[in-house]
């Protein structure tokens, strides 16, 4: 959410067509932009001054060789935990692609695809449209598949005729066999993270319930964050008040920083047509979540602070939202 708001602030100061091309800064809560390279020096300095005047920004500077570096206040970064929980799935939304029109193909029939590359291409086109819509793009139309009616189209009943001898069904392809073996969620995530021209997933690998398997690790991280909340609630502790300064451990700030990038990662993946890059971001977010949920501040549930419960809930919300955009379920228990 911070990256989405920073993008809006830069657009308000430099013009709506000024793409900041944000990248991580040197510390949690800091963001770098190459926009000054494309501005006159006086305009770049004015941009930094206008951003520094924002109450939620600690400082904004033009640094050599011409980058804009913005650092938000600690309270702004920490309060993100509450804001993500309250926003729910809207925590991934932005207006980064406003004004763009993206065609939306129908949901792919993955078991019917005859090869991994074909299934990957069909899913990538569908997910790109979903990500683009979340980033503010307009979805234009739904191209029809042969033999599949347009959504909302009534299909008349065919006239009665003599039944034909049913054709022998074709043998299932490798994708259908993998889905049958590993389950739809694991297969879909493996396809979503498959880059163009990348090697086909191995069913035996994506079926494994180990953290080295990203298809499992991201959903496990969501379940781990949900477990913290469930176990704390069983002890009578639930998120209540929030004091931003109580979230200051390096791991906590790193997790907050990773969550801050959710809207921007959605927009970048949609712009590039690379949902695999968004799946890679979710893997990183899952790693940050698991590292944080495993620290003493989160495992000592009888004394866990309200602020840490908010952060666990924010991680759960961010991961569930990201998995939902890929069409993958996010169970609270695995």
């Amino acid at each position: 959410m911070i990256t989405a708001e920073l993008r809006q602030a830069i657009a308000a100061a430099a013009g709506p067509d000024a793409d900041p091309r944000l990248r991580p800064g040197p510390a949690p809560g800091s963001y770098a932009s190459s926009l000054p390279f494309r501005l006159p020096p006086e305009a770049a300095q004015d941009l930094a001054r206008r951003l520094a005047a924002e109450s939620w920004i600690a400082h904004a500077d033009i640094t050599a060789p011409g980058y804009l570096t913005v650092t938000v206040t600690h309270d702004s970064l920490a309060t993100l935990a509450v804001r993500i929980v309250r926003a729910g799935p809207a925590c991934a939304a932005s207006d980064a692609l406003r004004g763009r029109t993206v065609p939306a193909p129908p949901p792919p029939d993955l078991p019917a695809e005859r090869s991994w590359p074909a299934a990957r291409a069909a899913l990538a086109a569908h997910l790109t449209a979903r990500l683009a819509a979340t980033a503010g793009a307009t979805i234009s139309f739904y191209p029809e598949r042969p033999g599949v009616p347009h959504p909302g189209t009534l299909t008349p009943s065919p006239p009665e005729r003599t039944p034909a001898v049913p054709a022998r069904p074709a043998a299932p392809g490798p994708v259908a066999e993998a889905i049958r073996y590993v389950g739809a969620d694991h297969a879909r995530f493996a396809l979503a993270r498959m880059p163009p021209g990348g090697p086909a997933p191995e069913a035996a690998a994506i079926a494994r319930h180990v953290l080295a398997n990203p298809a499992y690790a991201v959903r496990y991280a969501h379940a781990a964050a949900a477990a913290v909340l469930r176990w704390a609630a069983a002890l009578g502790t639930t998120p209540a008040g929030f004091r931003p300064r109580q979230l200051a451990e390096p791991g906590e700030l790193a997790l907050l920083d990773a969550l801050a990038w959710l809207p921007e990662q959605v927009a970048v993946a949609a712009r590039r047509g690379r949902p695999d890059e968004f799946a890679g971001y979710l893997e990183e977010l899952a790693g940050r979540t698991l590292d944080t949920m495993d620290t003493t501040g989160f495992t000592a549930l009888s004394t866990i602070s309200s602020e840490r419960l908010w952060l666990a809930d924010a991680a759960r919300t961010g991961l569930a939202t990201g998995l939902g955009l890929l069409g993958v379920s996010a169970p609270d228990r695995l």
Side-chain angles (χ1 to χ4, degrees):
M1 300 173 78
I2 287 176
T3 53
E5 291 162 347
L6 181 56
R7 176 179 283 277
Q8 291 177 338
I10 291 175
D17 296 328
D19 186 351
R21 300 179 186 174
L22 295 175
R23 52 190 279 184
S30 65
Y31 310 89
S33 168
S34 61
L35 181 58
F37 284 104
R38 291 166 274 140
L39 296 176
E42 61 275 10
Q45 292 294 340
D46 181 63
L47 171 62
R49 284 192 295 269
R50 294 179 66 175
L51 290 174
E54 296 281 347
S55 61
W56 54 281
I57 292 177
H59 42 84
D61 306 288
I62 304 298
T63 56
Y67 281 97
L68 168 68
T69 301
V70 178
T71 303
V72 302
T73 64
H74 173 273
D75 286 8
S76 296
L77 183 61
T79 306
L80 191 63
V82 176
R83 297 179 62 205
I84 286 175
V85 174
R86 290 177 174 169
C91 67
S94 73
D95 61 359
L97 299 186
R98 179 186 295 173
R100 299 197 182 195
T101 301
V102 178
D109 183 3
L110 297 178
E113 299 292 346
R114 304 304 301 169
S115 69
W116 285 104
R120 183 261 161 208
L123 182 61
H126 174 67
L127 294 182
T128 294
R130 295 186 67 171
L131 295 171
T134 304
T138 299
I139 302 304
S140 61
F141 62 91
Y142 292 80
E144 295 182 13
R145 284 175 172 265
V148 178
H150 189 283
T153 300
L154 294 177
T155 305
S157 300
E160 293 186 3
R161 57 185 180 180
T162 304
V165 177
R168 188 174 185 179
V175 180
E177 291 184 348
I179 291 173
R180 185 181 306 154
Y181 178 56
V182 308
D185 284 313
H186 277 212
R188 189 178 178 97
F189 190 91
L191 274 169
R193 73 184 295 272
M194 181 179 171
E202 296 182 6
I206 59 178
R208 300 181 66 198
H209 285 202
V210 294
L211 295 182
N213 172 20
Y216 173 77
V218 177
R219 299 172 79 227
Y220 178 82
H222 170 271
V228 170
L229 296 166
R230 183 172 63 252
W231 296 335
L235 295 175
T237 306
T238 56
F242 187 83
R243 296 161 295 175
R245 293 292 166 181
Q246 295 301 308
L247 292 180
E249 294 296 325
E252 296 166 355
L253 296 178
L255 176 55
L256 285 162
D257 188 62
L259 286 165
W261 282 96
L262 177 56
E264 189 70 10
Q265 292 288 346
V266 168
V268 170
R271 186 184 296 111
R272 289 169 48 83
R274 295 288 303 274
D276 58 293
E277 295 181 350
F278 181 67
Y281 158 75
L282 290 181
E283 293 175 41
E284 296 177 10
L285 179 58
R288 296 283 188 192
T289 298
L290 290 172
D291 288 345
T292 304
M293 296 303 109
D294 198 38
T295 59
T296 304
F298 289 82
T299 56
L301 294 171
S302 60
T303 58
I304 192 170
S305 69
S306 179
E307 292 76 20
R308 286 179 171 138
L309 289 177
W310 279 109
L311 181 54
D313 206 357
R316 181 197 63 80
T317 301
L319 288 166
T321 298
L323 286 167
L325 286 171
L326 298 182
V328 177
S329 71
D332 286 348
R333 301 171 187 261
L334 283 181

